[in-house]
Amino acid sequence: MGSAARPSQRRRPALRVLAACVCICLPGCKQAPPAADPLAGVWRLNLARTRYSPSADRRREEQMECVPVQTGVRCTITSVRSDGQRLVGRFQARYDGGSAPVSGIAGMDGVRLRRAGGRAVDATFTDHGTPVYGYRATQSPGGETLTVASVDPVTRAPLSSVVVYDRVRPGER
């Protein structure tokens, strides 16, 4: 007799693969946790590492606090501009690209967010539905910095402003 495997033995590896696939897809089975929200945390502007375009509204200081909610994020940005004006901007948006209201920032009344990979978020701020400002925010692999690069709000082509934030740990606020 030859050493050929019986048909039932040949099917076992296929059944194991099928069982693994079913387990991955079922909600009750263990799954990898979703990627952490790149914006989540308290972030303080690092002026030494920030580069503004000539037309940008420069800041003296700024802090951004973002808290994950449902399938999105709620952010509060407290900023002191170069002329001393203090602004507090707020938004709560989902990562589905739908528009969400923005308050406290002149010339912007809406924002659309999309995840752009595990550590990045694309945002487009609008005024009456017209895109006016875009950025890509990328959290560093260790989670200690958040780099916000300006992009054209329509084409997503890179622009020249790059704003860097450092994570604020509890007790450092």
Side-chain angles (χ1 to χ4, degrees):
M1 289 206 144
S3 63
R6 294 190 316 231
S8 64
Q9 290 174 325
R10 286 193 303 258
R11 278 186 250 146
R12 285 184 190 155
L15 290 174
R16 285 186 192 125
V17 170
L18 178 62
C21 290
V22 168
C23 186
I24 288 169
C25 296
L26 287 176
C29 292
K30 238 183 178 30
Q31 297 180 18
D37 188 322
L39 297 179
V42 179
W43 305 96
R44 185 171 297 134
L45 178 65
N46 182 328
L47 279 172
R49 296 181 60 200
T50 293
R51 179 178 82 237
Y52 289 112
S53 71
S55 63
D57 188 5
R58 297 170 187 269
R59 285 103 166 125
R60 285 186 193 169
E61 58 187 70
E62 188 165 81
Q63 184 165 297
M64 178 170 63
E65 182 171 358
C66 296
V67 178
V69 292
Q70 298 163 354
T71 59
V73 65
R74 180 179 60 237
C75 295
T76 301
I77 302 101
T78 305
S79 180
V80 178
R81 305 301 169 116
S82 60
D83 64 1
Q85 180 185 16
R86 184 174 189 271
L87 299 174
V88 178
R90 292 184 172 87
F91 65 85
Q92 180 172 325
R94 296 175 153 242
Y95 287 111
D96 62 2
S99 188
V102 170
S103 66
I105 305 173
M108 297 178 199
D109 61 9
V111 64
R112 295 188 305 255
L113 299 179
R114 285 208 184 274
R115 293 293 290 261
R119 294 189 325 261
V121 172
D122 283 339
T124 303
F125 286 86
T126 59
D127 185 24
H128 296 90
T130 301
V132 292
Y133 178 73
Y135 73 74
R136 172 164 284 181
T138 306
Q139 190 180 115
S140 65
E144 295 304 311
T145 61
L146 184 68
T147 302
V148 178
S150 63
V151 298
D152 182 278
V154 176
T155 67
R156 309 305 292 174
L159 299 175
S160 58
S161 288
V162 177
V163 179
V164 179
Y165 295 90
D166 296 322
R167 182 178 297 279
V168 177
R169 298 287 175 197
E172 295 177 1
R173 295 181 191 186

